[in-house]
Amino acid sequence: MRIEYFQLIDRILDLNMDEKTISVEAQVPKESTIFEGHFPGYPIMPGVLLIEAMAQTAGWLLLALMNFERMPFLAAVKEAKMRGFVTPGEVLTVEANLVHEGSGYAITDAKIKVAGKLRCNSTIMLTHVPFPNPDLRRHMDAMAERIGFPKQALLP
Amino acid sequence: MSSTFDQVATIIAETCDIPRDTITPDSHAIDDLGIDSLDFLDIAFAIDKAFGIKLPLEKWTQEVNDGKATTEQYFVLKNLCARIDELVAAKGAGAT
């Protein structure tokens, strides 16, 4: 996890195109300037970043389901629940599944677990559009490579 | 069984916290009810679920942007309901 670059996902653990689910891993850094302020002497991962991790996970699922032809963007976060603190160094398993595929948008459910225990969950809506420019597409391809996206799972 | 309009009006009222009695078949979702594009996605999701269809929002938006259709054709509620009925009928025809 590179918080300062908003790269919250380390690697993809599983992508199931039939079930429309994804599971990824993300380790919270042991040190970050964020923890100096959140909070002094009691560092915990900000809830908004946990929500972002769930949104990015849902985004990777949509990228896969749309064959990397469209780019998803966060549109709405519903019923986000922070069920327990996440602390520096912890390894997160982030899961997302597709709930509904609309026209130009999708609804997903996402959750974060630590050692099998649920820490937070939310329903996340994303809109998606054709890639606005080749630079962004190249960036996402590079990110996919970095996190071990299984390109073989995509349609030919 | 309630009409398509009754179902859609109830969805709009509950999703956007708009008094049900202010919603009429001639209401324009955007101009009269003040529903923005993000709130309309919530409505579309609820309609998709309730009727088992997929409102073609991208196609409609493109047609409006291209000047091939007006917003009234899709977002005045009686017209929206007519589109929903068409989609439900098409789905039924496809299943047989």
Side-chain angles (χ1 to χ4, degrees), chain A residues 70 75-76 78 99-105 107 125-130, chain B residues 38 40-46 48-49 53-60:
Chain A
R70 297 169 68 93
K78 300 167 188 285
V99 173
H100 179 72
E101 194 168 7
S103 171
Y105 74 98
I107 309 289
M125 177 192 285
L126 301 107
T127 54
H128 50 76
V129 297
Chain B
L38 185 57
F40 200 82
L41 289 185
D42 281 330
I43 293 167
F45 175 40
D48 285 0
K49 273 198 306 182
I53 57 174
K54 182 172 171 176
L55 287 183
L57 295 181
E58 281 194 297
K59 177 171 170 281
W60 292 355

Side-chain angles (χ1 to χ4, degrees), chain A:
Chain A
M1 187 180 286
R2 299 171 72 202
I3 293 180
E4 290 76 6
Y5 291 89
F6 253 54
Q7 293 174 1
L8 299 183
I9 305 306
D10 291 333
R11 66 188 181 99
I12 292 180
L13 299 173
D14 183 64
L15 172 66
N16 189 320
M17 298 288 276
D18 294 327
E19 299 290 331
K20 299 179 181 176
T21 61
I22 192 170
S23 176
V24 310
E25 187 177 83
Q27 182 173 23
V28 179
K30 292 176 181 168
E31 294 182 4
S32 167
T33 53
I34 286 173
F35 299 133
E36 294 174 17
H38 195 278
F39 294 97
Y42 195 69
I44 57 173
M45 185 74 164
V48 289
L49 291 176
L50 296 173
I51 291 171
E52 176 66 19
M54 291 190 286
Q56 289 189 11
T57 302
W60 283 111
L61 174 62
L62 287 188
L63 273 165
L65 294 174
M66 298 182 298
N67 218 29
F68 274 68
E69 291 172 356
R70 297 169 68 93
M71 179 70 188
F73 294 96
L74 178 60
V77 178
K78 300 167 188 285
E79 295 286 329
K81 293 182 177 175
M82 305 301 121
R83 298 173 183 275
F85 293 149
V86 172
T87 55
E90 285 193 310
V91 177
L92 315 180
T93 302
V94 194
E95 301 169 358
N97 66 278
L98 184 70
V99 173
H100 179 72
E101 194 168 7
S103 171
Y105 74 98
I107 309 289
T108 64
D109 279 339
K111 63 182 73 166
I112 294 179
K113 294 177 179 174
V114 177
K117 290 188 177 176
L118 185 64
R119 292 288 176 90
C120 58
N121 65 287
S122 179
T123 296
I124 292 173
M125 177 192 285
L126 301 107
T127 54
H128 50 76
V129 297
F131 269 92
N133 60 55
D135 285 347
L136 181 56
R137 172 61 198 265
R138 279 194 291 273
H139 171 75
M140 296 311 294
D141 281 341
M143 290 283 291
E145 180 89 17
R146 187 181 70 79
I147 65 172
F149 185 95
K151 282 284 181 76
Q152 70 276 9
L154 299 179
L155 295 171

Side-chain angles (χ1 to χ4, degrees), chain B residues 5-74:
Chain B
F5 172 73
D6 286 334
Q7 285 181 268
V8 170
T10 299
I11 285 170
I12 291 173
E14 292 176 352
T15 304
C16 297
D17 202 20
I18 294 172
R20 172 65 181 82
D21 57 7
T22 65
I23 303 170
T24 73
D26 289 318
S27 299
H28 190 300
I30 302 164
D31 297 341
D32 296 328
L33 302 179
I35 298 167
D36 68 15
S37 58
L38 185 57
D39 283 337
F40 200 82
L41 289 185
D42 281 330
I43 293 167
F45 175 40
I47 289 174
D48 285 0
K49 273 198 306 182
F51 293 93
I53 57 174
K54 182 172 171 176
L55 287 183
L57 295 181
E58 281 194 297
K59 177 171 170 281
W60 292 355
T61 303
Q62 192 64 49
E63 288 177 6
V64 170
N65 290 343
D66 292 345
K68 295 175 181 170
T70 63
T71 59
E72 286 76 10
Q73 287 175 251
Y74 299 124

